[in-house]
Short mmCIF file of all heavy atoms in Angstrom, two decimals:
data_model
loop_
_atom_site.label_atom_id
_atom_site.label_comp_id
_atom_site.label_asym_id
_atom_site.label_seq_id
_atom_site.Cartn_x
_atom_site.Cartn_y
_atom_site.Cartn_z
N PHE R 1183 33.32 -47.39 -62.45
CA PHE R 1183 34.37 -47.39 -61.43
C PHE R 1183 34.16 -48.45 -60.35
O PHE R 1183 35.03 -48.64 -59.50
CB PHE R 1183 34.49 -46.02 -60.75
CG PHE R 1183 34.86 -44.89 -61.68
CD1 PHE R 1183 34.60 -43.58 -61.32
CD2 PHE R 1183 35.46 -45.13 -62.90
CE1 PHE R 1183 34.95 -42.53 -62.16
CE2 PHE R 1183 35.80 -44.09 -63.76
CZ PHE R 1183 35.55 -42.79 -63.38
N PHE R 1184 33.00 -49.13 -60.34
CA PHE R 1184 32.62 -49.97 -59.21
C PHE R 1184 32.26 -51.40 -59.60
O PHE R 1184 31.86 -51.67 -60.73
CB PHE R 1184 31.42 -49.36 -58.47
CG PHE R 1184 31.62 -47.93 -58.07
CD1 PHE R 1184 30.94 -46.90 -58.70
CD2 PHE R 1184 32.53 -47.60 -57.07
CE1 PHE R 1184 31.13 -45.58 -58.33
CE2 PHE R 1184 32.73 -46.28 -56.69
CZ PHE R 1184 32.03 -45.27 -57.32
N SER R 1185 32.40 -52.29 -58.63
CA SER R 1185 31.90 -53.67 -58.74
C SER R 1185 31.41 -54.10 -57.37
O SER R 1185 31.68 -53.42 -56.36
CB SER R 1185 32.98 -54.62 -59.25
OG SER R 1185 33.99 -54.80 -58.26
N ALA R 1196 30.60 -50.30 -52.33
CA ALA R 1196 31.14 -50.99 -53.50
C ALA R 1196 32.65 -51.13 -53.41
O ALA R 1196 33.33 -50.40 -52.68
CB ALA R 1196 30.78 -50.23 -54.78
N ASP R 1197 33.17 -52.08 -54.18
CA ASP R 1197 34.61 -52.16 -54.44
C ASP R 1197 34.91 -51.18 -55.57
O ASP R 1197 34.13 -51.06 -56.53
CB ASP R 1197 35.02 -53.57 -54.86
CG ASP R 1197 34.85 -54.59 -53.74
OD1 ASP R 1197 35.01 -54.20 -52.57
OD2 ASP R 1197 34.56 -55.76 -54.05
N VAL R 1198 36.02 -50.47 -55.46
CA VAL R 1198 36.41 -49.51 -56.49
C VAL R 1198 37.42 -50.19 -57.41
O VAL R 1198 38.52 -50.54 -56.98
CB VAL R 1198 37.00 -48.24 -55.87
CG1 VAL R 1198 37.38 -47.23 -56.95
CG2 VAL R 1198 36.03 -47.62 -54.87
N ILE R 1199 37.05 -50.38 -58.66
CA ILE R 1199 37.93 -51.07 -59.61
C ILE R 1199 38.76 -50.09 -60.45
O ILE R 1199 39.66 -50.51 -61.17
CB ILE R 1199 37.14 -52.03 -60.53
CG1 ILE R 1199 36.04 -51.28 -61.28
CG2 ILE R 1199 36.54 -53.16 -59.71
CD1 ILE R 1199 35.29 -52.13 -62.30
N ASN R 1200 38.46 -48.80 -60.33
CA ASN R 1200 39.23 -47.77 -61.03
C ASN R 1200 39.52 -46.63 -60.05
O ASN R 1200 38.85 -45.60 -60.07
CB ASN R 1200 38.46 -47.27 -62.26
CG ASN R 1200 39.25 -46.26 -63.07
OD1 ASN R 1200 40.22 -45.67 -62.59
ND2 ASN R 1200 38.82 -46.03 -64.30
N PRO R 1201 40.52 -46.81 -59.16
CA PRO R 1201 40.82 -45.78 -58.16
C PRO R 1201 41.21 -44.43 -58.78
O PRO R 1201 40.87 -43.38 -58.23
CB PRO R 1201 41.99 -46.37 -57.36
CG PRO R 1201 41.87 -47.84 -57.56
CD PRO R 1201 41.34 -48.02 -58.95
N GLN R 1202 41.92 -44.46 -59.91
CA GLN R 1202 42.33 -43.20 -60.54
C GLN R 1202 41.10 -42.41 -61.01
O GLN R 1202 41.01 -41.20 -60.79
CB GLN R 1202 43.26 -43.47 -61.74
CG GLN R 1202 44.59 -44.06 -61.37
CD GLN R 1202 44.55 -45.56 -61.15
OE1 GLN R 1202 43.59 -46.23 -61.51
NE2 GLN R 1202 45.60 -46.11 -60.57
N GLY R 1203 40.15 -43.08 -61.65
CA GLY R 1203 38.94 -42.41 -62.09
C GLY R 1203 38.10 -41.94 -60.92
O GLY R 1203 37.57 -40.83 -60.92
N PHE R 1204 37.96 -42.79 -59.92
CA PHE R 1204 37.13 -42.47 -58.75
C PHE R 1204 37.68 -41.26 -58.00
O PHE R 1204 36.92 -40.37 -57.60
CB PHE R 1204 37.05 -43.68 -57.83
CG PHE R 1204 36.35 -43.43 -56.53
CD1 PHE R 1204 35.00 -43.09 -56.50
CD2 PHE R 1204 37.02 -43.53 -55.32
CE1 PHE R 1204 34.34 -42.85 -55.30
CE2 PHE R 1204 36.37 -43.30 -54.12
CZ PHE R 1204 35.03 -42.95 -54.11
N THR R 1205 38.99 -41.19 -57.79
CA THR R 1205 39.58 -40.08 -57.05
C THR R 1205 39.86 -38.86 -57.93
O THR R 1205 40.14 -37.78 -57.41
CB THR R 1205 40.91 -40.50 -56.37
OG1 THR R 1205 41.84 -40.92 -57.39
CG2 THR R 1205 40.68 -41.63 -55.37
N THR R 1213 45.62 -50.56 -54.10
CA THR R 1213 44.88 -51.79 -54.36
C THR R 1213 43.76 -51.91 -53.32
O THR R 1213 43.75 -51.21 -52.31
CB THR R 1213 45.79 -53.03 -54.28
OG1 THR R 1213 46.40 -53.08 -52.97
CG2 THR R 1213 46.89 -53.00 -55.33
N ASP R 1214 42.84 -52.82 -53.59
CA ASP R 1214 41.77 -53.17 -52.64
C ASP R 1214 40.98 -51.97 -52.13
O ASP R 1214 40.64 -51.90 -50.95
CB ASP R 1214 42.35 -53.94 -51.45
CG ASP R 1214 43.05 -55.22 -51.88
OD1 ASP R 1214 42.62 -55.84 -52.85
OD2 ASP R 1214 44.05 -55.59 -51.22
N MET R 1215 40.67 -51.03 -53.02
CA MET R 1215 39.90 -49.86 -52.59
C MET R 1215 38.43 -50.23 -52.45
O MET R 1215 37.87 -50.96 -53.26
CB MET R 1215 40.07 -48.70 -53.57
CG MET R 1215 39.31 -47.44 -53.15
SD MET R 1215 39.58 -46.02 -54.22
CE MET R 1215 41.02 -45.30 -53.40
N HIS R 1216 37.81 -49.69 -51.39
CA HIS R 1216 36.40 -49.94 -51.09
C HIS R 1216 35.79 -48.63 -50.60
O HIS R 1216 36.46 -47.84 -49.91
CB HIS R 1216 36.28 -51.02 -50.01
CG HIS R 1216 34.89 -51.48 -49.76
ND1 HIS R 1216 34.26 -52.42 -50.54
CD2 HIS R 1216 33.99 -51.11 -48.81
CE1 HIS R 1216 33.04 -52.63 -50.08
NE2 HIS R 1216 32.85 -51.84 -49.03
N VAL R 1217 34.54 -48.37 -50.95
CA VAL R 1217 33.88 -47.14 -50.52
C VAL R 1217 32.51 -47.48 -49.95
O VAL R 1217 31.82 -48.38 -50.44
CB VAL R 1217 33.75 -46.13 -51.68
CG1 VAL R 1217 32.91 -46.68 -52.82
CG2 VAL R 1217 33.19 -44.80 -51.20
N ILE R 1231 36.41 -44.54 -47.11
CA ILE R 1231 37.19 -45.13 -48.19
C ILE R 1231 38.37 -45.87 -47.57
O ILE R 1231 39.10 -45.30 -46.76
CB ILE R 1231 37.72 -44.05 -49.16
CG1 ILE R 1231 36.54 -43.26 -49.77
CG2 ILE R 1231 38.56 -44.68 -50.27
CD1 ILE R 1231 36.97 -42.04 -50.54
N THR R 1232 38.54 -47.13 -47.92
CA THR R 1232 39.69 -47.90 -47.44
C THR R 1232 40.46 -48.42 -48.65
O THR R 1232 39.88 -48.68 -49.71
CB THR R 1232 39.24 -49.09 -46.56
OG1 THR R 1232 38.36 -49.92 -47.31
CG2 THR R 1232 38.55 -48.62 -45.30
#
Side-chain angles (χ1 to χ4, degrees):
F1183 298 160
F1184 307 109
S1185 70
D1197 294 328
V1198 181
I1199 56 175
N1200 183 342
Q1202 294 82 13
F1204 174 64
T1205 60
T1213 58
D1214 301 326
M1215 181 176 271
H1216 188 82
V1217 62
I1231 301 170
T1232 58

